Amino acid sequence: MSPAPDERDRIRVSMDRILDGTPERSNGALTIVALAIEADVPRNALTQRHTDLKNKFYDRVRARGGIPDVEIRLRRKISDLKTTIANKNKEIVRLRNDVQGFLAENTRLTLENEELRDVLSGRPSNVTPLRAGPGSRWAVARDTIPRCESTTAW
């Protein structure tokens, strides 16, 4: 499909209407999409055939001191993504700490389970359990096992 003979003129007039704040067909956003809608041309007319007019449009937007809407949206999205990454990194650190606590507790429970099985089976154990009071070294070591902070249901 070949471009209409008045395509460039329609783009220029539409550019003026959008920049003057009097759009007729589009929402008036300072974007190439809005300009294409306003000029009643396909978007690729600006991105492929008339790149000089696209660049001129963005130059005029910048000259007015405005930032194109697409740039504003992208900056906002980048900011949101940086926040999301920071939150995910905090969550990863917390989950890694939880894993260490789970591993320590799993080891303790495995040893305790083995000890109880030996007692129930009546087999003599080659390990003599040390039952200590609240101030003993075993009680202090047991209390240093990190507790998990996660509220995630497994």
Side-chain angles (χ1 to χ4, degrees):
M1 181 163 116
S2 62
D6 66 338
E7 191 172 76
R8 290 182 67 83
D9 292 332
R10 287 193 322 219
I11 293 170
R12 283 189 194 102
V13 170
S14 298
M15 195 183 309
D16 292 336
R17 280 197 308 261
I18 286 178
L19 292 171
D20 291 342
T22 58
E24 295 174 1
R25 292 185 181 98
S26 70
N27 63 4
L30 301 177
T31 64
I32 292 302
V33 174
L35 180 58
I37 292 169
E38 189 68 28
D40 196 25
V41 298
R43 185 176 60 89
N44 71 344
L46 290 159
T47 60
Q48 295 174 9
R49 286 195 297 264
H50 307 296
T51 55
D52 61 319
L53 292 176
K54 175 190 75 162
N55 294 336
K56 183 177 180 180
F57 176 69
Y58 280 139
D59 288 343
R60 288 181 62 188
V61 169
R62 282 188 205 90
R64 291 179 46 202
I67 298 173
D69 293 349
V70 68
E71 188 174 339
I72 292 169
R73 284 194 309 271
L74 288 174
R75 287 182 184 193
R76 190 176 306 126
K77 186 67 174 176
I78 289 169
S79 175
D80 292 346
L81 289 172
K82 284 181 179 180
T83 301
T84 299
I85 289 170
N87 290 338
K88 293 297 179 185
N89 285 340
K90 287 178 190 174
E91 183 179 10
I92 287 170
V93 168
R94 184 181 50 78
L95 291 173
R96 283 184 178 156
N97 290 337
D98 285 353
V99 166
Q100 294 304 312
F102 287 140
L103 289 174
E105 186 65 11
N106 185 47
T107 301
R108 188 190 67 75
L109 290 172
T110 300
L111 293 172
E112 184 179 318
N113 189 31
E114 187 177 316
E115 179 185 330
L116 291 172
R117 285 179 191 261
D118 287 345
V119 170
L120 286 175
S121 70
R123 289 183 299 192
S125 175
N126 60 355
V127 175
T128 304
L130 299 175
R131 299 290 181 212
S136 73
R137 198 163 103 189
W138 164 248
V140 171
R142 184 187 65 222
D143 292 338
T144 62
I145 295 173
R147 298 293 176 215
C148 68
E149 303 168 10
S150 177
T151 58
T152 307
W154 297 92

